[in-house]
Amino acid sequence: MTQNPAPATTTATEGNTPPATPWWRDAVIYQIYVRSFADSDGDGIGDLRGARRRLPYLAELGVDAVWLTPFYASPQADGGYDVADYRAVDPLFGGLQDADDLVREAHRLGLRVIVDIVPNHTSDRHAWFREALAEGPGGAARARYHFRPGRGADGELPPNDWESVFGGPAWTRTGGADGEWYLHLFAPEQPDLNWENPEVAAEFESILRFWLDLGVDGFRVDVAHGMVKAPGLPDIGRKEQAKLIGAQVLPFFDQDGVHAIHRSWRRLLDSYDGGRIGVAEAWAPTPERLALYVRPDELHQAFNFHFLTCPWDAAAMRAVIDESLASTGSVGAPATWVLSNHDVVRHTTRYGGGERGTRRARAAALLMLALPGSAYVYQGEELGLPEVVDLPDAVRQDPAFFRGDGQEGTRDGCRVPIPWEGAEAPYGFGPAGSWLPQPAEWRHLSVAAQSGDPRSTLELYRSALALRRRLPGLGDGPMSWHATGDGDAGVPEGVLAFSRPGFACTLNTLGIEVELTVPGRPVLATAPLEFTGGTVRLPAETCVWWEV
Ligand code: GLC
Ligand code: MG
C-alpha cells in the first residue's frame, strides 16, 4: 500500500473564497513509454526500475503526474497492449514490487501515477482465450470473446467485412476443426472481449481494484471507444475503414453503449479517496461526441485528438480550441490537450521537421500549456526529439508495419529510446544498447546536453511548467481571444492572441514576423524578441507568454 500525494486538490490563490480545483483539471501529465524511457538492467529495454530512478528528473521538470504505458505480463505482440495477465508485471519490465516501489517513490516526489488499462482486448495468450480455443463453439469461455462461424459454403469467409486497425481483416479463423472465427480490431494476437458478458465487466472491476489498492491515481483507458459493438456486427460496406476512425461512428467504434461502462468505472473510482481518475483514449468523430466521455458521471479526461491532428494554421487551431472548450465546457469537464504520443508521428516532424519543425513545435508547446485545462507531454517532446524516419525494416516491431495493406506502420519512429547524456548511444538510456537504434545527432538533444542552455527546448519546458505553477491565470479557468483585424488593438491574421487572468499568450503562426501591440511584460518566448516603443516584433512561428 502506498500513500497518495497530498493535497488532492490545488488551491487557487486569487479571490476571497478560493475554490479548490481538483488536481486533474489542470494537471500536466507526462507519458512514460516504459520500454523507451530508461533501462536499468542492460537488456536494451526500458523497465520500471529505470523509470523509478529517473522520476526526480520529472519532478524537477515540473509535471504533476506520469502515465505509464502497459507493463503487464504480455507476449509483446503490440508493445504490451496485448495483456496476458492484468495483475502481473512482465519480467521484461520488472516485478510487482517494482511497480509498488515506483508508485511509492513517485508519491514521495509529489507525482501522481496513472497506469494504462486495456479493456477492449486481451492477448491471445490470456488464460481466458486459451480456454476459449480449447473449449470449442458454443461454450461459456468463447462467450467472453466474439467467436462466429464464417460465411461462404464452408465458412471460409470472415463473418463480416470489418478491417483491423492495423490492416487486413478484423477476423482470424481458429485452427481447430470447428473453424470458427474470432474478432480482433487490432492484431490477431489481440482478440476483442465481449463486454455484453457480465463476467468481463466483473473481471475488469476486480483488476481496477487491484491497481487502485496498490495506490495508482488513475487509468488511461485504452480504446475507450471500442468496447461495445453494434448488435449483429453489421457490415460497413466499404474498404479502408481505418480512414473512417475518428471521422464517423462505426459499428465497432464510438457506440453509445460504451458509456454505461465508463459510468460504472467512475462510480468505482469515486469510491476511492485521493482523486483517482480515468482518461479516455477515444477517437470520436466530433468534439461533441468526445465530450460524452467526460460527462460528470463518466471519465475525467479524454485526449483531444482534434487538437493533435490540427494543421499548422491559425484559423484551424482557433476553431479546434473553440470547439473543444465549448464541448467540454458544456459538460463541465476540462479540455485535455495533447500534441504527441506513442501512436503518432512526433510533432516536430509533423510540423515540417528540421529547424522549422522545431520552431513550430516549441511554439505549439507554449500554446498548449497556456490553454485552459490539462495537458499531456509525451516523453522526449520536452527535448524536441524528431520522429526517426529511417529505421531499418529489420528492427521494426510495430504490428501495423507487418500487417501492411496500405498502413504506414510509422509507430516505431516515435518510440526510439530517449537520450539522457553522453556522446554515444544509448546516451544513458541504459548500461548497454537500446531496442531501437538512436540517431547520432541525438547526442546534442540529450537531457544533459540541453540542461542549463536557456535556448534549449528542455529549458523552455522547464520554464513554462514553472510559470504554469506560479501564474494563477494558467491551468483551469477562463480565456478570451483578442480581436483580430486592422486597427490598434487588432491582431493580424495568422496570429493567435488570447488573455487569461493576469496573462496573455501570442502565437505567430506565419513564416514572417509581425508587429503587435505589447500586451504586457514578456515572461517566456520561443525566440528572441525585439521591441520598438509600444510594439513588439513577433518573429515567425513564435509564441510569447506575457504577464499582464
Ligand atoms: C491504443 C494504443 C496503441 C495500441 C492500440 C491497441 O490505440 O495507444 O498503442 O496499439 O490501442 O491496444
Ligand atoms: Mg531493461
Side-chain angles (χ1 to χ4, degrees), residues 20 144 176 214 248 466 474 484:
R144 296 177 184 133
L214 186 134
Q248 62 181 66
L474 288 177
T484 335

Side-chain angles (χ1 to χ4, degrees), residues 11 16 23 78 82 98 166 181 202 232 238-239 244 246 272 308 314 319 335 377 379 391 403 446 492 521 535 544:
T11 308
N16 298 333
W23 71 272
D78 181 23
D82 49 319
D98 296 310
F166 293 154
W181 298 70
R238 60 162 283 188
K239 297 239 170 259
L244 308 177
Y272 281 77
L308 185 154
V377 172
Q379 66 175 44
L391 286 172
R403 301 218 0 123
S446 72
R521 182 175 74 83
T535 62
V544 185

Side-chain angles (χ1 to χ4, degrees), residues 284-345:
T286 60
E288 289 72 32
R289 285 203 66 89
L290 185 64
L292 300 179
Y293 291 80
V294 289
R295 285 177 285 190
D297 59 346
E298 296 202 29
L299 299 176
H300 299 74
Q301 302 181 328
F303 296 110
N304 186 342
F305 294 127
H306 300 105
F307 180 68
L308 185 154
T309 53
C310 182
W312 183 263
D313 173 85
M317 289 165 145
R318 182 171 168 163
V320 167
I321 292 166
D322 281 340
E323 283 170 25
S324 306
L325 291 174
S327 54
T328 53
S330 74
V331 295
T336 301
W337 310 103
V338 57
L339 288 166
S340 276
N341 65 34
H342 65 293
D343 291 329
V344 299
V345 173

Side-chain angles (χ1 to χ4, degrees), residues 312 359 363 508-514 526-527 538-543:
W312 183 263
R359 215 165 46 229
N508 176 12
T509 64
L510 304 174
I512 49 166
E513 71 170 23
V514 294
T526 58
L538 200 55
E541 298 168 331
T542 293
C543 188

